Amino acid sequence: MIVSTRGRYAIRVLCDLAENRDKGFIPMKEIAKRQGISLKYIERILPVLTKNGYIEGLQGRGGGYKLTKAPEEYIIGDLLRLTEGSLAPVACLEEGAPKCKNAEKCPTLKMWSGLNDVLNDYFDKITLGDLITG
């Protein structure tokens, strides 16, 4: 499993908003500058986070973005599944994948399934709050 820049940057954007949550709405330009992420890339990430209730935005003067919940309520596994689509290490374990014709006799399925469980369990135990408190 390789986490794309979309997933990594989404986590960094949320960390930035969490660390600066006492400042209210944070302009996109400030986030981009602090995180060293291009404004164009952030413009593609923020609508996904807004649409799915992770953040809220405010247009105009004094506008920007802020978290909708406390950092401890954001599960990293949920965020990665939102931005990456799946954490499955192999295609046959992705949600909604058709049953593999070799599943019954596949000598590696149990191994991949175990890794899938480990990945999901690991990321589901980490919150945004954990990341910003070190």
Side-chain angles (χ1 to χ4, degrees):
M1 177 195 90
I2 295 178
V3 176
S4 70
T5 53
R6 181 178 174 155
R8 295 192 324 266
Y9 287 0
I11 293 170
R12 287 175 47 193
V13 165
L14 290 177
C15 283
D16 191 280
L17 291 173
E19 290 169 338
N20 293 286
R21 66 188 177 279
D22 59 329
K23 297 176 184 171
F25 286 93
I26 308 295
M28 193 181 338
K29 287 181 184 179
E30 288 182 23
I31 300 166
K33 185 177 180 180
R34 278 193 297 264
Q35 294 303 315
I37 302 171
S38 78
L39 198 53
K40 284 200 176 282
Y41 207 105
I42 287 184
E43 287 173 345
R44 292 186 356 215
I45 294 171
L46 293 177
V48 172
L49 298 175
T50 303
K51 179 183 172 190
N52 288 279
Y54 283 79
I55 60 175
E56 65 177 296
L58 179 65
Q59 300 280 330
R61 187 180 177 110
Y65 294 87
K66 71 177 185 175
L67 300 179
T68 58
K69 306 179 274 190
E72 297 75 24
E73 295 180 59
Y74 291 82
I75 306 297
I76 298 302
D78 292 339
L79 177 62
L80 285 173
R81 283 184 287 275
L82 172 68
T83 57
E84 300 298 316
S86 173
L87 298 177
V90 291
C92 64
L93 293 175
E94 289 183 356
E95 189 173 323
K99 183 171 174 154
C100 177
K101 63 182 179 179
N102 297 318
E104 304 268 333
K105 58 185 175 183
C106 179
T108 64
L109 182 58
K110 186 174 180 182
M111 173 186 68
W112 294 125
S113 185
L115 178 58
N116 188 51
D117 292 345
V118 169
L119 288 171
N120 281 282
D121 290 346
Y122 177 76
F123 287 121
D124 285 344
K125 290 178 184 169
I126 301 171
T127 69
L128 187 60
D130 295 329
L131 297 180
I132 65 169
T133 58

